[in-house]
Amino acid sequence: MEIRTIKTDKALLVTIKERLDASWSEYFTDTFLEYIRNGEHRLVIDAQEMSFLSSAGIRSLLLVSKELTKVKGDFRIINSNEFVANTLRTTGFGVWLSEAKAEDILPATKEINEADNLKNLFIISKDSGITLKLISNWKPWENISESKIKRVEFLPDSFALGIAAPPAADKDAVLKFGDFVSLCGHIVYQPPEERSRPDYFLPMENFVPQLQTIQCIYAQGEMSHLLRFSPEENKENYRIGELASQALSITGSSLAAFVILAEADGLVGAHIIQSPEGEQSFTPTDFKKLRDWLSFSGERAYAGEQTLIFGVVAKHALGGKIDFLIPLSSNPEIAIHAHTTIFPYQTLQNGKLDLMHQITKFFNGPPPKGLMHLIDDNRPSTGLGESSFTRGAMWCAPAKWEEDNV
Amino acid sequence: MLKIQDVSKTFFPHTVNEVQALQNIDLTIDEGSFTCIIGTNGSGKSTLLNAVAGTFIPDSGTIHIDGLEISSWTEYQRARLIGRVFQNPFAGTAAEMTIAENIVLAMKRGKMHPLTIALNKKVKSEISDRIRMLKMGLEDRLDNPIGTLSGGQRQALTLLMATWLRPRLLLLDEHTAALDPKSAAKIAELTSEIIKEEKLTALMVTHSMQQAVDMPDRIVMMHRGKIVEDYQKEHKKRVRIADLLDTFDRVQKRELFDESVAKLLIREYI
């Protein structure tokens, strides 16, 4: 089999030469799924030179078609020879056949501006904004007194990050505090054990997820903007600091909240692996002790997976509650606090996306694979740098701190 | 059944080549359990097996089998209690001797006067019956020199010989690693079958994550001479290859956690 592609402003035209049969179907499917992953959601197959199509080949076409349906894409087969057209019609897939000619799709290759096509800014609601509250403000590794623990309900219009424990069934049970992130009332919590997988809680009917927090930045409100980003010529990925700076400039604010749903290029972060305890104070002077408490990613992790991040960014000059926002080493003008959860890859639709719909979709799919507090690793020579992303979406809004909140 | 207490071994001590192969190993294996040891190269897996088998005497610590302290026993003395299968399929058999002659040696292993059994009809019939379970057609080739068999067939016979007298402990040291994938799968299947049927206590070293997940009822992971993970009971039952790879990953990440990472995290996280 030979596959040739021509990108036009209307679609990706793919010419298939020779057989699409059991021997080639897997390769064909993988190739087309990669096109979809790269944002090509309008696919046209030129089948003039396809010499054979078996049931295995039809199954591949069906898989591609289904994947495109998920992202509201489009799939057509043009120029099919008699054998291919008959096979598709008699098996009930004639609907894929189109009378269009390759020439109808071909021109305008030179006029495409891919960056303009894929990198888009959408205004969701110009006047929207986010109110931030610092609900609990424990700092590692202070003692945890009763007064430090705040029970928080995560409402559908809220976003949050911090360190918390799920409410225990028994009031005397020891609370296991670990990192968490909450998006539109959906929570991912990383139990503080090295072996544990992240746990998650979904809002359902009258159930509103809750956590006992010791550190919690809680945001409530609506996102005002959506930025779509994807690889461009000479730009293969987007660093978290770049995107956070964009959030400030898009919203024209010195404090902004953002949610990023994106394919990871590599994530750098840490999470708690030993729950801090009430009366036990800990001073992290010895790195051998510190590694019993924190797990560091150690490499750029989770490449190719889908990350869902909530973060807060401020111009560093703000002061005050900036304590919980950490100046970015690579850009000390801004300070960030961001937690991410990681899901298995799912293709995102191009264009405007609804935040709640996307979050619900991911939380109702395969379970999260990890959770991290993102870190900018600027160690000389060995540093892993910032987390970065290949393509995705960032929702953002101007934010303000609610007074009297601690 | 097997109790390893605080066992340490350092090779080439006080030299630039010093290797702390075993560091204060504590491991207790229950009667009838099948434990698999996995780990990176040089983690101490085979060294631990060799310490149990008596290939060397540890610098410190004790080893008990069935309550008997065997720490100072020689390798051949321990052979009364221990059956072994090595990675090299040619290591456990005598190539010039026939299948039947090799088996007769195995039948008398660890006993006085090992050469008293004659290969009479009754013995041959018993050998033939036991070899039939291998389902390799070897029962009809008892008089063929064992050197004429393939690696897989020889390893199957070595396994049978090592378990002929139902040893108190069976040690398997990457015994499928030198075989082609089909033979390796066959030997792995046979191993599980024999251990289950004979209710043997076994300790197996492997690099195959699939075998580690599928075969034993306990997985011990070693790294740099230490036990870093021990999956037992329900934890073992739920473990998947991905979990083992994650654990390897975690162990290695932990090694990368140095002072520079600590400083980074104190600034960025704390």
Side-chain angles (χ1 to χ4, degrees):
Chain A
M1 177 189 276
E2 190 184 320
I3 299 179
R4 292 192 306 268
T5 59
I6 301 174
K7 181 161 171 53
T8 79
D9 58 343
K10 293 176 184 168
L12 184 72
L13 178 66
V14 191
T15 304
I16 305 293
K17 205 173 166 184
E18 297 172 12
R19 300 168 69 87
L20 177 50
D21 57 11
S23 302
W24 286 100
S25 59
E26 205 175 320
Y27 169 70
F28 175 91
T29 310
D30 290 347
T31 306
F32 272 68
L33 291 183
E34 192 60 28
Y35 295 150
I36 296 169
R37 190 171 183 145
N38 290 338
E40 302 294 350
H41 296 175
R42 297 179 72 81
L43 296 174
V44 177
I45 293 179
D46 185 336
Q48 193 170 28
E49 296 175 86
M50 190 189 288
S51 58
F52 181 71
L53 176 64
S54 73
S55 294
I58 292 173
R59 189 168 177 275
S60 287
L61 293 170
L62 187 61
L63 279 170
V64 170
S65 165
K66 278 185 176 171
E67 198 61 26
L68 283 169
T69 307
K70 281 188 205 164
V71 292
K72 297 187 177 158
D74 186 38
F75 173 62
R76 281 177 291 158
I77 298 174
I78 63 166
N79 276 342
S80 49
N81 56 44
E82 207 180 317
F83 173 78
V84 170
N86 278 342
T87 307
L88 288 173
R89 282 197 194 98
T90 50
T91 49
F93 294 104
V95 67
W96 291 333
L97 296 167
S98 165
E99 295 300 317
K101 298 284 170 206
E103 302 80 70
D104 301 337
I105 298 158
L106 271 178
T109 336
K110 287 175 191 166
E111 291 140 39
I112 304 168
N113 184 337
E114 202 174 321
D116 289 345
N117 234 7
L118 299 177
K119 183 180 172 184
N120 286 312
L121 180 64
F122 300 91
I123 298 171
I124 300 167
S125 171
K126 210 172 160 186
D127 301 323
S128 295
I130 294 285
T131 304
L132 296 173
K133 295 183 213 175
L134 188 61
I135 289 186
S136 39
N137 60 0
W138 174 82
K139 277 187 166 181
W141 305 92
E142 296 170 350
N143 283 340
I144 301 173
S145 57
E146 279 289 315
S147 63
K148 286 274 179 197
I149 304 172
K150 308 276 181 180
R151 183 181 282 255
V152 179
E153 277 194 339
F154 296 90
L155 300 169
D157 65 342
S158 73
F159 308 90
L161 60 81
I163 300 167
D170 175 357
K171 70 179 174 55
D172 296 325
V174 177
L175 294 171
K176 299 273 185 193
F177 294 104
D179 294 273
F180 81 93
V181 62
S182 167
L183 299 130
C184 301
H186 300 65
I187 300 171
V188 183
Y189 153 78
Q190 178 65 52
E193 289 147 21
E194 274 197 295
R195 274 188 194 178
S196 293
R197 294 173 188 163
D199 235 323
Y200 57 104
F201 308 92
L202 314 181
M204 281 173 148
E205 293 187 8
N206 295 327
F207 173 69
V208 179
Q210 294 182 1
L211 289 176
Q212 307 259 48
T213 69
I214 51 172
Q215 187 187 92
C216 177
I217 298 177
Y218 188 88
Q220 213 168 357
E222 200 187 344
M223 294 294 172
S224 60
H225 293 80
L226 164 65
L227 175 75
R228 296 303 308 268
F229 54 94
S230 59
E232 294 171 15
E233 207 176 340
N234 302 324
K235 183 156 186 63
E236 289 176 356
N237 55 44
Y238 297 80
R239 289 176 288 109
I240 180 91
E242 264 178 273
L243 291 169
S245 292
Q246 286 267 23
L248 289 174
S249 81
I250 289 167
T251 58
S253 172
S254 53
L255 180 65
F258 60 88
V259 171
I260 296 171
L261 173 57
E263 182 182 338
D265 171 56
L267 302 179
V268 183
H271 65 84
I272 290 180
I273 52 171
Q274 192 171 138
S275 178
E277 287 171 20
E279 297 304 316
Q280 189 184 330
S281 127
F282 170 76
T283 312
T285 46
D286 177 358
F287 79 90
K288 284 180 184 165
K289 277 187 189 164
L290 189 62
R291 70 183 179 192
D292 292 334
W293 291 82
L294 286 173
S295 168
F296 177 57
S297 59
E299 59 184 359
R300 298 179 64 76
Y302 296 111
E305 306 286 10
Q306 208 84 39
T307 65
L308 198 42
I309 301 170
F310 171 62
V312 177
V313 55
K315 287 193 176 152
H316 187 41
L318 272 183
K321 294 179 185 73
I322 200 81
D323 273 3
F324 287 89
L325 306 180
I326 299 131
L328 203 63
S329 305
S330 54
N331 179 7
E333 294 301 304
I334 62 169
I336 294 182
H337 195 149
H339 283 198
T340 185
T341 181
I342 301 101
F343 284 95
Y345 177 79
Q346 283 186 45
T347 309
L348 294 183
Q349 186 186 323
N350 286 335
K352 196 172 175 181
L353 293 177
D354 178 70
L355 175 57
M356 180 57 124
H357 174 76
Q358 293 301 322
I359 286 171
T360 310
K361 185 178 92 173
F362 273 87
F363 274 84
N364 285 321
K369 300 174 86 169
L371 188 139
M372 279 184 192
H373 171 136
L374 294 179
I375 275 168
D376 178 8
D377 180 4
N378 73 335
R379 287 174 297 157
S381 71
T382 54
L384 301 168
E386 288 178 67
S387 298
S388 59
F389 314 92
T390 317
R391 59 174 61 76
M394 176 176 73
W395 292 263
C396 55
K400 61 176 195 291
W401 289 105
E402 188 186 82
E403 295 306 319
D404 309 322
N405 45 43
V406 177
Chain B
M1 193 269 147
L2 170 68
K3 200 167 188 181
I4 300 169
Q5 279 178 305
D6 204 20
V7 165
S8 296
K9 177 71 186 176
T10 302
F11 292 112
F12 315 115
H14 317 300
T15 71
V16 284
N17 296 322
E18 179 176 298
V19 179
Q20 290 185 302
L22 299 175
Q23 297 187 53
N24 310 101
I25 298 287
D26 283 312
L27 182 67
T28 302
I29 307 283
D30 293 336
E31 173 89 37
S33 83
F34 181 6
T35 301
C36 175
I37 305 176
I38 56 172
T40 45
N41 286 332
S43 59
K45 317 179 287 290
S46 293
T47 309
L48 183 62
L49 241 62
N50 288 336
V52 173
T55 310
F56 60 82
I57 305 295
D59 300 335
S60 60
T62 57
I63 299 171
H64 290 78
I65 291 181
D66 284 342
L68 286 171
E69 193 186 335
I70 58 160
S71 316
S72 57
W73 289 20
T74 60
E75 196 169 5
Y76 72 84
Q77 285 172 319
R78 296 185 200 195
R80 282 185 1 227
L81 306 172
I82 297 171
R84 292 168 82 181
V85 185
F86 302 92
Q87 187 183 125
N88 183 352
F90 307 130
T93 47
E96 301 295 321
M97 294 171 78
T98 67
I99 294 176
E101 286 164 347
N102 270 281
I103 300 273
V104 168
L105 285 181
M107 289 164 86
K108 294 297 286 178
R109 185 164 48 86
K111 294 182 179 168
M112 303 292 282
H113 314 300
L115 300 176
T116 54
I117 284 188
L119 256 175
N120 57 35
K121 262 190 173 178
K122 191 182 160 207
V123 172
K124 269 200 168 180
S125 162
E126 188 193 342
I127 291 172
S128 186
D129 287 347
R130 291 276 291 270
I131 287 185
R132 192 166 287 118
M133 72 160 289
L134 301 178
K135 294 171 195 146
M136 290 177 162
L138 298 177
E139 60 275 15
D140 302 323
R141 298 168 63 185
L142 294 186
D143 295 325
N144 289 13
I146 217 164
T148 61
L149 304 183
S150 70
Q153 287 169 327
R154 252 174 108 163
Q155 198 67 326
L157 282 171
T158 310
L159 183 63
L160 199 64
M161 287 163 62
T163 57
W164 196 277
L165 294 178
R166 203 178 173 279
R168 296 297 297 134
L169 177 66
L170 175 64
L171 301 179
L172 305 160
D173 191 358
E174 295 189 57
H175 69 307
T176 64
L179 305 176
D180 64 82
K182 202 175 165 189
S183 302
K186 171 79 182 163
I187 297 299
E189 191 187 326
L190 264 175
T191 306
S192 294
E193 246 178 70
I194 292 173
I195 289 172
K196 196 175 169 191
E197 274 175 26
E198 301 286 329
K199 296 187 176 61
L200 297 175
T201 307
L203 201 53
M204 174 175 86
V205 165
T206 184
H207 272 295
S208 161
M209 295 296 108
Q210 193 66 56
Q211 287 181 3
V213 167
D214 292 345
M215 294 171 67
D217 40 45
R218 180 175 176 188
I219 304 172
V220 170
M221 187 181 282
M222 291 187 70
H223 186 67
R224 293 189 188 265
K226 290 180 180 170
I227 292 174
V228 290
E229 198 59 88
D230 188 353
Y231 294 98
Q232 296 187 59
K233 298 175 183 165
E234 297 307 314
H235 283 301
K236 159 63 186 66
K237 285 180 191 164
R238 76 164 188 184
V239 90
R240 301 285 174 270
I241 290 177
D243 300 315
L244 296 180
L245 295 175
D246 276 353
T247 309
F248 275 124
D249 196 35
R250 217 170 51 220
V251 168
Q252 276 159 354
K253 268 184 206 165
R254 211 174 150 80
E255 283 205 333
L256 295 172
F257 198 122
D258 58 11
E259 235 163 315
S260 72
V261 173
K263 276 182 192 162
L264 172 76
L265 294 182
I266 287 167
R267 190 185 69 233
E268 294 270 331
Y269 189 97
I270 297 171

